[in-house]
Amino acid sequence: MFKLKDYQEQSLTALDNFFRQLRISGLNAAWQHCVPLQEKQGQTWQVPYNSEALGDVPAVCVRIPTGGGKTFLAAHAVAHTGKTLLDTDAPVALWLVPSDAIRAQTLAALTVPRHPCRMAMAEYFGERIRVCALDNLTTVGPQDVGQSAIIVVATIQSFNVKEKTQRNVYSFDENFARHFQGLTPQQEERLDKVTEADLAAQPYLTASDLGRVKSSLANWLTLHKPIVIVDEAHNNRTDQAFRTLKNLHPACVIELTATPADNSNVLYHVGASALQREDMIKLPIVLMEHPTGWKDAVRDAILTRDRLETLAAKESDYIRPVLLFQAEPKNGEVTVEKLLEHLVSPDGEKLERKQIAVATGDQKELDGIVLADPLCPIRYVITVEALKEGWDCPFAYVLCGLQDMKSSKDVEQILGRVLRMPYARQRQQIELTKAYAHMVSSVTARVADQLADRLVNNMGFEPYEAAQAIAPAQTALPLPEGGEQPRPKPAEAVISLPAAPTHSVPEDLKQTIEIRPTTGGATAIVRGELTEQVEEFLLTSCNAKHQQTIKDSIERERTRQAALLAPSARGIRFAPLPQLCLDWDGELQPVEKRILSELGEFDLFSESIALAGFTIRERGTAFEIDLDGGKVVYELASAEQLHLNEIATHATENDLVRWLDRECRQKDVGQAVLLKWLLAVVRHLQADRGFSLTALVRAKYPLAEAIRREIDRRRDNAVSSGFQKSLPGFLAAPQLEDSFSYAFSFHPTHYPARPPYYSGRYRFKKHYYPVIHDLREKRADGTPAEEFVCARALDMHPAVKHWVRNVEKEDRFSFWLPTSTDYFYPDFVCELTDGRVLVVEYKGEPYKTNDDSREKSQVGHQWENSSNGKCLFLFAVQQDDQGRNVEQQIAHVIQK
């Protein structure tokens, strides 16, 4: 069974939280509650929910880069959304894709028994899954609705039309008639009726059919208010597509794309760095440019592939590296035919023809081929642009682009095939964790920039991620043991100007700035750092209407330079930090929640059986359920879905308990104990609270949510108790060489930063990573933000070698200390020039003396005191009891 990656879990959690909040507070309030703030140039704001296209239909987007497993995530999202939004474990979903090729690929992924996507759905639905194309949806009967999850896979083009009589999905079809019996007036109101146009288009309809509910596929979907999944959603955001979706009356729309449109409601954003942390993609892309000719590029690409195959033989998994050639179109110099002739010719590369597959619009030599099969001989694939969708092969390692980068529009689609990691796990040979690109270009210095632009604009990378992702071949060599790349000079920046500057370059900048005229404008070549002086010249010497464009270009170049200069990018290791440990029976144990819950004797039966805060009030067509004071409205599903007639005679306590067991399973609670406790809860709710078994079964989803919360509450109480018992025995691991497994280290490429990233005017010089997580330069009133002041003071202190803005709630990749309720993630972690480490937690004035702050201060100083002087902890405030500001507090603690 394939497990969800951390970023996929977080994406699903974001969707779950949004849909739960939607039911409590409504669409706009849920959006404001769940969507993070954005920041640029020190200004902070929250993007408002855009309801213009779909009105009150909740429509949200998960932005996930190419290679991030969108189909696998969507397979899980169908089940999650069915439960959190619709109270059903048998939802109806319409899965829309942009092309027939991807439709066929998606259908295979959801139907092949051992495919990860099919297995993901089976995890929730078992065998109760019906996956259908439009042409076999008629095989689904009324008895299947509410019993099985029904997934309909189609292209948006199948529904997209101004005149509905032009599409079969809107036509009257007698095969669907059985689904439209016994409709309520409310259901009939939203369904299409037979019109005069239908009578003209379908002669077998008569005047007596006029005005009756149309038995059509589209009406069937509308009747069941489907969850709509929109894959590659950026291709489907037209006015016509919106009208199409709105007419289907979906329960919600979930968009998945690497490059959302400006009007998409991006609920959760996954960065490419998150994929790299999970070994989902190969990075960096080692780039070799070939301005001398295409034959040189072909030769070196083949040699690169051959070398990788030699290394792959040392891996435990079977890998046969594949080289993709992107030939030129028929009117180009290096066509498919010319390249193929060169590859097999005795005067060329002398390759075996059976090792080459041609995949173009006319030649489909990959059809039916399983490239991962060890018996497959193919090592080279020639294409033009036919691979840009509906094809995948993680064995693809090398791209040889023979189309000039200035004219190629589809290179990022081919490149996306090279980025995917075989088996999505780390390789033993470091060279097999990278991708390789050999590119023909007549503009040598710009290939890396053009590739980076495509990573940002078409593949979902952030600018800083794209800058790090491209590594020139000469700088991609492995580092010597314990070595690091020297601090390079800032890369040459190339800034396009919409028009030639109106002023000449000042004398003191002539060694830095070169202006080259181009067609319709100019190019500024900046050698060295993009200083404020350089920016001022470029902005003031151009028309005011172009200033923002130039400013954005300068910011992109600064981002690229920062990515190259950051300590993590140069292979510098951050000093390890000892974790707080507990001496337990003579052995060190890290102070984790699991250990604390054991010390606190976590036991579901340690308290009396109760489910406080859970109440049900049925009002007409809806439940109102209180969960810990939060009122949630649950619309009642149809009688067919709820099976109300069956519940009274067939559903038993054991049926409900077994269902709750599946929904509420816990890693630290044995199944036998959980089943016994769940049965006690169900009997308590009936005997002591007066709920009937029928009511509990009908409200089983909110009941499961209340039970999960109750288990969490009891575990938290045990953790708190265990924390208080063990606090006197906490000690940090004093000798790292003896207990290295209990030390935390920041990984050079695994920084879990989330937007909004720092984008202020102050240029930090010592942050370990090229991007800074969630740091705002200014407050709403325009004054410097307190945490920014603290970060700037750390950056400017001469004793600080480098520092990290620590990311909260990332226990794998961030430094944490235990508290009585959870993990505590200090705001800043610094390595000092003398080898010590400094951890800083900043608290604003209103919070510096509350219970939470006192506990964090106590734990932090306990960590410091037990480190034999290796660790320092500072609980920083705007002004301490001695009247010292933040800069002075930092200086004082470092001088210890």
Side-chain angles (χ1 to χ4, degrees):
M1 177 67 71
F2 279 71
K3 292 184 179 180
L4 287 160
K5 304 298 184 182
D6 277 359
Y7 67 86
Q8 293 169 331
E9 291 270 18
Q10 291 162 4
S11 299
L12 291 171
T13 298
L15 287 169
D16 287 346
N17 290 343
F18 174 74
F19 288 130
R20 287 193 184 105
Q21 195 65 34
L22 173 70
R23 303 178 69 163
I24 295 172
S25 56
L27 186 52
N28 286 309
W31 178 258
Q32 293 172 9
H33 183 270
C34 296
V35 174
L37 294 174
Q38 303 294 313
E39 182 176 9
K40 189 172 184 180
Q41 297 295 330
Q43 301 299 313
T44 303
W45 74 97
Q46 188 175 54
V47 177
Y49 182 82
N50 182 1
S51 61
E52 182 178 351
L54 291 172
D56 59 358
V57 175
V60 293
C61 175
V62 175
R63 178 181 173 182
I64 182 168
T66 298
K70 290 190 288 292
T71 306
F72 184 63
L73 176 62
H76 283 271
V78 168
H80 276 251
T81 306
K83 292 177 181 179
T84 55
L85 183 63
L86 303 177
D87 302 333
T88 179
D89 53 8
V92 173
L94 175 61
W95 193 307
L96 296 175
V97 297
S99 69
D100 284 329
I102 295 181
R103 182 180 66 89
Q105 185 183 38
T106 303
L107 280 168
L110 299 180
T111 54
V112 173
R114 301 297 297 173
H115 194 285
C117 294
R118 175 70 182 201
M119 293 170 68
M121 292 197 301
E123 181 181 339
Y124 303 97
F125 307 124
E127 295 303 313
R128 300 180 299 105
I129 309 171
R130 297 291 304 273
V131 179
C132 307
L134 294 179
D135 54 7
N136 61 6
L137 185 58
T138 55
T139 62
V140 174
Q143 73 280 359
D144 295 310
V145 179
Q147 291 286 347
S148 298
I150 301 171
I151 318 295
V152 183
V153 182
T155 63
I156 187 68
Q157 291 80 9
S158 301
F159 296 86
N160 240 356
V161 67
K162 294 181 180 179
E163 175 51 58
K164 291 184 177 181
T165 57
Q166 297 175 8
R167 285 283 189 270
N168 290 336
V169 295
Y170 299 106
S171 300
F172 189 95
D173 186 339
E174 193 63 38
N175 291 311
F176 287 100
R178 52 187 174 156
H179 292 275
F180 297 94
Q181 298 174 3
L183 299 177
T184 66
Q186 292 87 351
Q187 290 172 322
E188 288 192 7
E189 184 179 353
R190 66 174 186 265
L191 300 177
D192 283 345
K193 313 299 189 300
V194 176
T195 64
E196 294 283 358
D198 293 312
L199 297 183
Q202 297 179 265
Y204 56 84
L205 293 175
T206 67
S208 62
D209 295 312
L210 198 64
R212 66 180 280 199
V213 170
K214 192 189 301 184
S215 298
S216 67
L217 188 155
N219 260 357
W220 182 89
L221 287 168
T222 300
L223 179 65
H224 298 298
K225 299 183 67 175
I227 299 165
V228 174
I229 302 290
V230 186
D231 192 10
E232 302 294 349
H234 59 280
N235 292 316
N236 296 317
R237 294 193 65 82
T238 64
D239 290 341
Q240 182 60 49
F242 289 137
R243 284 193 294 272
T244 296
L245 291 178
K246 197 170 183 179
N247 287 339
L248 294 175
H249 297 270
C252 65
V253 175
I254 301 173
E255 300 178 344
L256 298 166
T257 179
T259 53
D262 291 339
N263 57 351
S264 288
N265 295 310
V266 179
L267 177 69
Y268 192 77
H269 174 194
V270 176
S273 56
L275 274 61
Q276 186 181 18
R277 290 196 300 273
E278 300 289 354
D279 300 315
M280 291 289 286
I281 55 178
K282 311 181 192 91
L283 286 177
I285 303 166
V286 180
L287 172 66
M288 181 174 288
E289 302 170 26
H290 297 273
T292 56
W294 65 271
K295 291 184 180 179
D296 289 344
V298 169
R299 178 200 64 220
D300 286 358
I302 292 173
L303 291 173
T304 300
R305 196 218 68 82
D306 290 346
R307 178 170 179 269
L308 293 176
E309 184 161 5
T310 300
L311 293 171
K314 302 176 183 178
E315 294 285 329
S316 57
D317 298 318
Y318 174 75
I319 298 174
R320 186 183 67 260
V322 171
L323 164 57
L324 303 183
F325 289 105
Q326 187 182 27
E328 293 189 291
K330 291 186 179 298
N331 58 350
E333 177 190 359
V334 193
T335 62
V336 171
E337 293 77 16
K338 186 171 183 178
L339 174 60
L340 181 59
E341 179 184 358
H342 174 74
L343 293 178
V344 301
S345 168
D347 297 326
E349 299 300 332
K350 303 178 183 180
L351 300 180
E352 296 183 52
R353 179 62 177 86
K354 67 179 182 180
Q355 294 184 346
I356 305 169
V358 179
T360 65
D362 299 325
Q363 294 174 270
K364 303 182 185 298
E365 295 179 7
L366 283 178
D367 287 2
I369 299 295
V370 181
L371 285 172
D373 188 337
L375 298 178
C376 177
I378 293 173
R379 286 163 169 77
Y380 309 92
V381 175
I382 302 175
T383 186
V384 178
E385 57 182 52
L387 297 182
K388 65 182 181 180
E389 59 185 34
W391 185 85
D392 196 9
C393 176
F395 282 5
Y397 265 89
V398 187
L399 168 65
C400 183
L402 303 177
Q403 301 181 9
D404 195 295
M405 285 289 294
K406 292 188 297 183
S407 60
S408 174
K409 297 180 181 179
D410 298 301
V411 67
E412 71 278 352
Q413 297 286 356
I414 311 292
L415 189 61
R417 306 299 169 255
V418 177
L419 287 181
R420 288 165 171 78
M421 181 73 81
Y423 314 111
R425 56 177 173 266
Q426 185 74 19
R427 308 262 55 90
Q428 296 177 6
Q429 306 299 315
I430 190 67
E431 288 86 348
L432 292 173
T433 66
K434 303 174 184 178
Y436 300 83
H438 291 261
M439 309 299 295
V440 174
S441 176
S442 59
V443 188
T444 307
R446 292 298 291 159
V447 174
D449 296 335
Q450 291 166 331
L451 277 178
D453 287 344
R454 287 187 167 94
L455 290 174
V456 173
N457 297 329
N458 300 82
M459 299 176 70
F461 282 56
E462 289 295 323
Y464 85 93
E465 293 171 330
Q468 284 185 297
I470 309 297
Q474 62 269 23
T475 65
L477 299 175
L479 294 171
E481 188 67 28
E484 62 185 55
Q485 296 282 9
R487 182 177 177 87
K489 294 180 179 179
E492 183 179 87
V494 182
I495 299 173
S496 297
L497 305 177
T502 56
H503 309 316
S504 59
V505 179
E507 284 296 327
D508 58 342
L509 290 179
K510 283 187 176 179
Q511 297 299 313
T512 303
I513 302 176
E514 177 188 350
I515 303 297
R516 298 177 184 174
T518 61
T519 303
T523 298
I525 309 297
V526 181
R527 299 178 179 89
E529 187 176 356
L530 278 162
T531 62
E532 300 295 335
Q533 187 182 6
V534 170
E535 180 177 359
E536 182 180 1
F537 165 72
L538 293 175
L539 292 177
T540 56
S541 63
C542 69
N543 192 296
K545 67 180 181 180
H546 296 145
Q547 286 188 356
Q548 188 58 52
T549 300
I550 296 173
K551 188 177 291 187
D552 291 343
S553 181
I554 291 172
E555 199 57 41
R556 283 196 299 270
E557 292 298 323
R558 280 187 174 138
T559 300
R560 293 182 62 249
Q561 291 186 353
L564 294 172
L565 296 174
S568 61
R570 292 185 283 124
I572 297 175
R573 297 293 179 181
F574 202 101
L577 293 97
Q579 286 184 293
L580 199 58
C581 291
L582 179 68
D583 188 350
W584 195 353
D585 293 333
E587 293 185 6
L588 288 178
Q589 292 288 339
V591 187
E592 299 173 334
K593 284 184 280 189
R594 177 184 60 84
I595 298 294
L596 293 178
S597 67
E598 289 183 21
L599 286 173
E601 299 177 351
F602 172 49
D603 181 359
L604 290 177
F605 289 95
S606 62
E607 299 179 38
S608 60
I609 301 298
L611 206 59
F614 178 76
T615 59
I616 303 175
R617 292 176 297 281
E618 187 172 350
R619 297 183 177 179
T621 60
F623 286 136
E624 281 187 2
I625 300 174
D626 283 347
L627 291 175
D628 299 327
K631 184 179 294 183
V632 186
V633 175
Y634 288 79
E635 291 185 9
L636 290 181
S638 65
E640 291 83 6
Q641 184 170 320
L642 289 171
H643 311 292
L644 300 184
N645 293 332
E646 299 172 15
I647 289 175
T649 55
H650 294 292
T652 65
E653 282 184 344
N654 285 334
D655 293 332
L656 178 57
V657 167
R658 282 195 296 270
W659 184 89
L660 289 171
D661 170 54
R662 292 195 300 273
E663 293 294 307
C664 304
R665 283 178 185 168
Q666 307 286 315
K667 293 181 180 179
D668 54 351
V669 180
Q671 186 178 21
V673 173
L674 181 60
L675 283 168
K676 182 179 178 181
W677 185 76
L678 288 171
L679 180 60
V681 170
V682 169
R683 289 180 174 174
H684 157 73
L685 291 174
Q686 293 177 87
D688 301 331
R689 299 286 304 279
F691 295 113
S692 68
L693 180 60
T694 299
L696 294 178
V697 173
R698 295 175 73 192
K700 62 182 180 179
Y701 288 99
L703 174 59
E705 176 70 14
I707 287 172
R708 285 191 292 267
R709 293 189 188 188
E710 176 65 13
I711 294 173
D712 289 343
R713 184 190 69 81
R714 294 179 180 225
R715 181 186 295 104
D716 290 343
N717 287 343
V719 169
S720 179
S721 174
F723 180 85
Q724 298 303 327
K725 290 179 181 179
S726 60
L727 184 59
F730 281 173
L731 70 154
Q735 300 296 324
L736 294 178
E737 59 270 23
D738 295 334
S739 53
F740 192 77
S741 60
Y742 301 138
F744 170 80
S745 296
F746 287 105
H747 194 288
T749 62
H750 288 32
Y751 182 47
R754 299 185 294 269
Y757 309 110
Y758 173 75
S759 61
R761 300 292 294 176
Y762 178 80
R763 306 294 171 190
F764 288 99
K765 302 293 187 183
K766 297 181 183 178
H767 193 258
Y768 183 65
Y769 297 103
V771 68
I772 302 177
H773 165 78
D774 193 20
L775 184 67
R776 297 166 177 81
E777 185 177 30
K778 297 178 181 178
R779 294 184 293 196
D781 60 4
T783 59
E786 294 179 27
E787 287 191 347
F788 165 78
V789 172
C790 185
R792 184 176 58 186
L794 292 170
D795 200 68
M796 296 175 66
H797 198 287
V800 173
K801 181 180 179 182
H802 41 237
W803 60 279
V804 170
R805 169 66 158 157
N806 205 33
V807 182
E808 70 282 359
K809 299 187 183 303
E810 288 284 354
D811 59 323
R812 289 172 60 196
F813 304 115
S814 296
F815 177 69
W816 52 265
L817 294 168
T819 68
S820 62
T821 56
D822 204 345
Y823 294 151
F824 150 46
Y825 298 84
D827 294 314
F828 306 103
V829 181
C830 313
E831 180 181 351
L832 304 182
T833 54
D834 61 9
R836 294 179 298 166
V837 290
L838 165 66
V839 167
V840 180
E841 170 70 1
Y842 185 88
K843 282 298 177 186
E845 193 65 28
Y847 309 103
K848 68 179 185 180
T849 58
N850 62 16
D851 291 342
D852 177 67
S853 296
R854 282 193 292 270
E855 183 178 78
K856 289 179 178 178
S857 179
Q858 181 184 15
V859 172
H861 285 106
Q862 179 86 353
W863 175 77
E864 175 186 14
N865 295 335
S866 58
S867 70
N868 293 332
K870 295 181 179 180
C871 306
L872 302 173
F873 179 82
L874 172 63
F875 193 87
V877 293
Q878 187 174 22
Q879 188 175 61
D880 67 9
D881 295 339
Q882 283 76 43
R884 293 177 297 212
N885 62 22
V886 172
E887 291 89 346
Q888 293 166 333
Q889 294 168 54
I890 291 171
H892 175 74
V893 74
I894 289 176
Q895 289 169 2
K896 285 184 178 180

